[in-house]
Amino acid sequence: MANQNGPRPSDLAGTTRRAQVVMIGLVTLILLLVIPLFVWQIVRFDELRIVANDVAAQMQRKAPVARGAILDRNGMPLALNTWAFTVDASPYAMGSEATRRRTAEHLALLLGKPIDFIWKKVADPKVTWVVLDTGVSLAIGNQIKSRNLPGIGLQLTASRQYPAGGLAAHVLGFVAAQGDGIYGLESYYNKQLHGNDSQCLSDIGYTPARLTLGVRDFQPSTTACDLVLTLDWAIQDVVERELTAGIERTKAASGTVIVIEPSTGRILAMASRPAYDPNRFFETAGALLNNPAVSIDYEPGSVIKIMTMAAALDSGQFTPASTMVDTGEIIVGGRSIQNWDKKSHGRVNMTDCLAMSLNVCSAYLSTSMGPNVFYKYAELFGFGKPSRIDVANEAQGTIRAPGTPGWYVSDLGTNSFGQGMTATPLQVAMMAAVIANDGVLMKPYLADTVLGQGQARTVAPVRVRSVVSSDTAHTLAGMLANALEKENIPVQVPGMRVAGKTGTASVVNPVTQRYDENATIASFVGWAPVEAPRFVMLVKLDRPQTSQYGSDTAGPVFREIARKLVTMLDIGSKAVNR
């Protein structure tokens, strides 16, 4: 008889089946959990990492930092920031296809974009992040924000603006899309302007000062340094207008003008043509972006006779009354050097040499001094080395001296009148500034004051070195003024005397590597008033067509600018003798 209390076979079978079902369920559940982990952590690990990085980037986004402003010396803005939104989307987080389509329609309407343009960017739900538009106005951005559209983000960004358009473009440079300064001051002072407080403060080292910018109130940036320049907006505008007019009048290919305060080295204006609008730098050919005043060197020609005569006088070997016989030719190192007019002028004194711009006389002076003396003064004047002005991409020019590769004895003759050597326009202007400033070379500079968090550091003028004695400088200034008056060079300003020197430099043909007889660089560098100089100005015109000579082409540009500077700098008609 069977045991009535024992399990029946059917019960055992049922229990086994239930256990199997439970076990299968547990295994299935484990697989459902493990397989996705395997897929995401092994198979789709890169995709997961991208998503995680995007999320982390979104979480770490900080409020945008405004770049510091750049102002002229009277507080006129030359570079500022405006604010705009960048609109982005995460199709991955936007929901269903229907939701993405509705969102795309809203955005297309608000952004003024075709619906197809927006839809292509958000159609794929696997995409984790995409930019829809940049430079969106604050009003439109706030409308988008108020809609609370799923998966749509807005980032406030600073956009660099240049209110004066192309004014001083080569000096300023511009800011590229990634936010870094390119060329000019924007590049040189990128760390200070970029919006990093600690960098700004540690680099500059502030002392408290009142922020007085002409008659204007200026609210300094709170997250970056601001620059107040030595440039004067009004003088810069006059210089650019007169330079443009001079280029058009002479049919020159290009040109440069620099105006310097000789006693300090402050740059009051620096302009070149052709130029560009830094607001639209991306439309400009790369060759136009460099600043020709500091970044492009050239053979300066007869303006270098200022240096040669200064060395001759300062070395004690010559005086203004010294004479030489100009036969129209001199042989230096086996090379024949002739005057520009191919003529001989007999016995001449040193002022005659300057007035008639005699190459033979200059070569006679340099060879009489000898290479050691001549090249010592060339180095003292700053040729062949950068001035270290605070702007990007400065060239240093080239001048060979004995013992350097490629130097020939004939160079001693040709260098004396600016041939066979190169210099930047700034170096030529600073050469003249030495004579205008009692023989002392100052360091040229563009940033006059650096502002940060209500504090300021005013840049002090830097005396580089004494180049010639003050007696030599005064004597040479008088000689140059007399030479201009003797030759009736059209640079004179009513009520005051001007000192300076013309230049007509040969241009090397890049194909033949010989001087092109039909092309010159015409220039004039001078200062006024002679008795108490307030400005030094270089005018350089490349390949003028109406005349090859600096006296005919660059001289009148100098005169027109100088006449306006008399009023703008409040220069009295009667200067006090030094």
Side-chain angles (χ1 to χ4, degrees):
M1 185 174 180
N3 186 355
Q4 297 294 320
N5 295 323
R8 295 193 296 263
S10 60
D11 291 337
L12 290 173
T15 300
T16 302
R17 283 195 298 271
R18 284 195 297 271
Q20 290 174 342
V21 170
V22 171
M23 183 62 69
I24 292 172
L26 289 172
V27 171
T28 301
L29 180 60
I30 291 171
L31 290 175
L32 288 174
L33 293 173
V34 171
I35 289 174
L37 289 175
F38 175 79
V39 169
W40 280 107
Q41 294 188 20
I42 305 299
V43 179
R44 300 180 68 182
F45 172 75
D46 290 338
E47 184 178 345
L48 179 64
R49 183 176 57 186
I50 292 171
V51 173
N53 289 341
D54 286 342
V55 172
Q58 295 289 335
M59 292 176 65
Q60 293 175 4
R61 281 181 181 173
K62 298 179 180 180
V65 176
R67 193 174 176 87
I70 302 177
L71 315 168
D72 92 323
R73 66 178 186 169
N74 296 311
M76 289 292 293
L78 297 175
L80 296 170
N81 289 303
T82 59
W83 295 98
F85 281 111
T86 294
V87 181
D88 55 48
S90 176
Y92 182 80
M94 287 175 66
S96 66
E97 180 176 343
T99 301
R100 293 200 307 280
R101 283 193 177 275
R102 285 195 300 270
T103 301
E105 290 171 358
H106 284 304
L107 289 173
L109 183 63
L110 290 169
L111 296 175
K113 302 284 187 183
I115 180 62
D116 290 345
F117 174 83
I118 302 295
W119 177 245
K120 285 180 181 179
K121 289 178 174 286
V122 302
D124 187 353
K126 295 179 182 179
V127 175
T128 59
W129 184 78
V130 64
V131 174
L132 300 180
D133 202 1
T134 60
V136 177
S137 71
L138 298 183
I140 297 299
N142 287 328
Q143 287 187 49
I144 295 173
K145 186 182 296 185
S146 67
R147 301 290 179 92
N148 293 317
L149 299 172
I152 301 302
L154 292 102
Q155 304 302 323
L156 194 60
T157 58
S159 175
R160 198 62 160 172
Q161 296 293 318
Y162 300 88
L167 189 79
H170 285 114
V171 174
L172 296 172
F174 56 87
V175 176
Q178 71 273 21
D180 287 326
I182 308 294
Y183 295 99
L185 292 162
E186 294 278 26
S187 175
Y188 189 92
Y189 286 102
N190 189 57
K191 289 182 181 179
Q192 290 84 355
L193 291 167
H194 201 280
N196 183 326
D197 281 342
S198 60
Q199 186 70 62
C200 175
L201 294 173
S202 64
D203 279 2
I204 300 304
Y206 291 101
T207 56
R210 292 184 62 187
L211 305 182
T212 303
L213 302 177
V215 297
R216 296 176 178 83
D217 292 330
F218 173 67
Q219 179 62 50
S221 302
T222 59
T223 57
C225 288
D226 303 302
L227 298 182
V228 180
L229 304 185
T230 61
L231 289 186
D232 186 298
W233 186 94
I235 295 176
Q236 182 76 23
D237 184 59
V238 165
V239 164
E240 294 193 8
R241 290 176 184 274
E242 292 298 338
L243 174 59
T244 299
I247 289 173
E248 292 175 351
R249 184 170 57 248
T250 63
K251 298 180 173 58
S254 56
T256 294
V257 172
I258 304 172
V259 181
I260 302 170
E261 187 176 74
S263 61
T264 62
R266 293 188 181 101
I267 306 297
L268 303 181
M270 178 181 283
S272 294
R273 288 288 185 271
Y276 66 99
D277 184 348
N279 292 301
R280 308 187 64 81
F281 67 88
F282 45 83
E283 297 177 353
T284 305
L288 289 181
L289 298 176
N290 254 323
N291 184 352
V294 299
S295 301
I296 300 176
D297 54 353
Y298 69 108
E299 292 197 14
S302 291
V303 289
I304 294 299
K305 291 171 182 175
I306 293 177
M307 179 195 77
T308 302
M309 188 60 72
L313 297 174
D314 199 64
S315 66
Q317 298 184 44
F318 293 87
T319 70
S322 298
T323 63
M324 56 88 64
V325 176
D326 172 26
T327 63
E329 183 183 35
I330 186 172
I331 305 298
V332 181
R335 178 173 178 174
S336 171
I337 293 174
Q338 299 178 332
N339 292 321
W340 64 272
D341 60 3
K342 309 298 183 184
K343 296 179 181 179
S344 61
H345 298 271
R347 184 165 295 278
V348 292
N349 62 32
M350 297 299 100
T351 300
D352 294 331
C353 289
L354 293 172
M356 291 184 282
S357 196
L358 301 179
N359 296 342
V360 170
C361 181
S362 292
Y364 171 74
L365 295 178
S366 65
T367 53
S368 297
M369 286 184 280
N372 291 338
V373 174
F374 177 80
Y375 288 107
K376 179 191 77 170
Y377 279 98
E379 182 178 0
L380 287 173
F381 271 96
F383 292 107
K385 62 181 67 173
S387 71
R388 305 199 184 282
I389 187 174
D390 50 342
V391 69
N393 303 333
E394 182 184 12
Q396 64 181 28
T398 58
I399 181 167
R400 296 184 297 271
T404 59
W407 184 81
Y408 300 95
V409 175
S410 61
D411 289 338
L412 181 59
T414 58
N415 291 169
S416 71
F417 53 90
Q419 195 175 85
M421 60 171 287
T422 66
T424 65
L426 178 63
Q427 289 173 322
V428 173
M430 293 309 298
M431 171 197 67
V434 166
I435 307 304
N437 188 41
D438 295 336
V440 176
L441 175 65
M442 303 298 292
K443 179 182 177 182
Y445 64 104
L446 284 155
D448 196 53
T449 305
V450 186
L451 308 177
Q453 294 184 327
Q455 298 176 307
R457 182 183 73 99
T458 299
V459 177
V462 175
R463 183 185 188 275
V464 178
R465 58 182 165 268
S466 177
V467 178
V468 297
S469 71
S470 60
D471 287 343
T472 295
H474 298 169
T475 299
L476 180 54
M479 293 169 64
L480 290 166
N482 290 337
L484 293 177
E485 292 160 0
K486 184 175 182 178
E487 293 298 308
N488 198 27
I489 305 299
V491 295
Q492 301 301 331
V493 178
M496 68 180 60
R497 299 185 76 202
V498 173
K501 182 71 185 74
T502 59
T504 304
S506 301
V507 178
V508 175
N509 186 309
V511 177
T512 65
Q513 292 300 306
R514 295 180 178 274
Y515 289 112
D516 189 338
E517 295 182 357
N518 298 315
T520 63
I521 294 176
S523 62
F524 179 80
V525 63
W527 58 93
V530 172
E531 298 81 3
R534 293 288 302 281
F535 67 88
V536 169
M537 187 195 322
L538 168 72
V539 177
K540 169 179 172 283
L541 299 176
D542 305 310
R543 299 175 181 269
Q545 300 300 305
T546 56
S547 170
Q548 291 187 328
Y549 303 115
S551 56
D552 299 332
T553 55
V557 177
F558 175 96
R559 179 186 60 203
E560 294 307 309
I561 297 174
R563 285 176 174 176
K564 295 175 175 64
L565 288 178
V566 169
T567 300
M568 301 176 81
L569 296 177
D570 193 24
I571 302 174
S573 60
K574 293 183 179 180
V576 178
N577 289 330
R578 292 182 291 186

